[in-house]
Amino acid sequence: MTVFRAIYTSTPFGFDENTLNGILVQARRANERDGITGALICRADIYLQWLEGPEDKVRETIARIKHDDRHLEVQVHVAEPADERMFGDWAMLHDPAQTWIWSQAEIAGGAVDRATSQEVTDFFLGLADNANAG
């Protein structure tokens, strides 16, 4: 079965525990409704999210995120068909700031702008391996 996947980064606006919890609750509800699964890596300086599902629903979700005032500087790094879901068991797997993503200094230095699609994909492949091992 072919699915569509997208990976984007954004800069959080007003990041705190309540904002993050609100995003997760809304994302899980909307994703379950729309047949989307995925994962979110986040911390105060970056959101990095993988979405997968029907192409039209994934694109609609990205469009909503671009208009969400909790997200600044939304950049789509990957938008392509995939052979299978990587996060099929999760409406939205939440992974708080892991040390294997860019450091705050790297982000401040432009790592997001220089990121390749393979680099951002690899973050999530590592996350999927960790989630499936646990």
Side-chain angles (χ1 to χ4, degrees):
M1 172 177 109
T2 300
V3 297
F4 189 79
R5 72 173 171 209
I7 303 172
Y8 77 87
T9 55
S10 67
T11 303
F13 180 76
F15 183 87
D16 61 23
E17 196 68 29
N18 288 334
T19 300
L20 177 58
N21 288 336
I23 287 172
L24 289 170
V25 166
Q26 289 175 341
R28 288 177 178 137
R29 186 176 308 130
N31 290 353
E32 287 175 11
R33 177 195 69 216
D34 294 338
I36 294 174
T37 54
L40 173 65
I41 299 171
C42 62
R43 61 181 192 221
D45 61 340
I46 191 169
Y47 291 134
L48 181 62
Q49 188 169 19
W50 173 299
L51 299 168
E52 58 193 11
E55 182 173 355
D56 61 332
K57 297 299 184 182
V58 170
R59 290 189 184 278
E60 288 171 13
T61 300
I62 294 289
R64 276 196 313 273
I65 290 166
K66 287 181 176 181
H67 290 95
D68 186 329
D69 62 4
R70 298 171 297 187
H71 296 266
L72 304 172
E73 302 169 353
V74 177
Q75 292 183 41
V76 177
H77 299 274
V78 175
E80 62 190 14
D83 292 331
E84 62 184 343
R85 291 178 187 255
M86 291 298 300
F87 297 96
D89 293 334
W90 297 279
M92 186 50 56
L93 175 66
H94 169 230
D95 186 58
Q98 294 295 321
T99 58
W100 41 268
I101 67 170
W102 303 294
S103 69
Q104 288 182 329
E106 289 169 325
I107 290 173
V112 173
D113 295 327
R114 292 188 306 275
T116 66
S117 60
Q118 189 60 54
E119 183 177 11
V120 296
T121 299
D122 287 347
F123 288 143
F124 286 101
L125 295 178
L127 177 58
D129 287 345
N130 287 339
N132 291 326

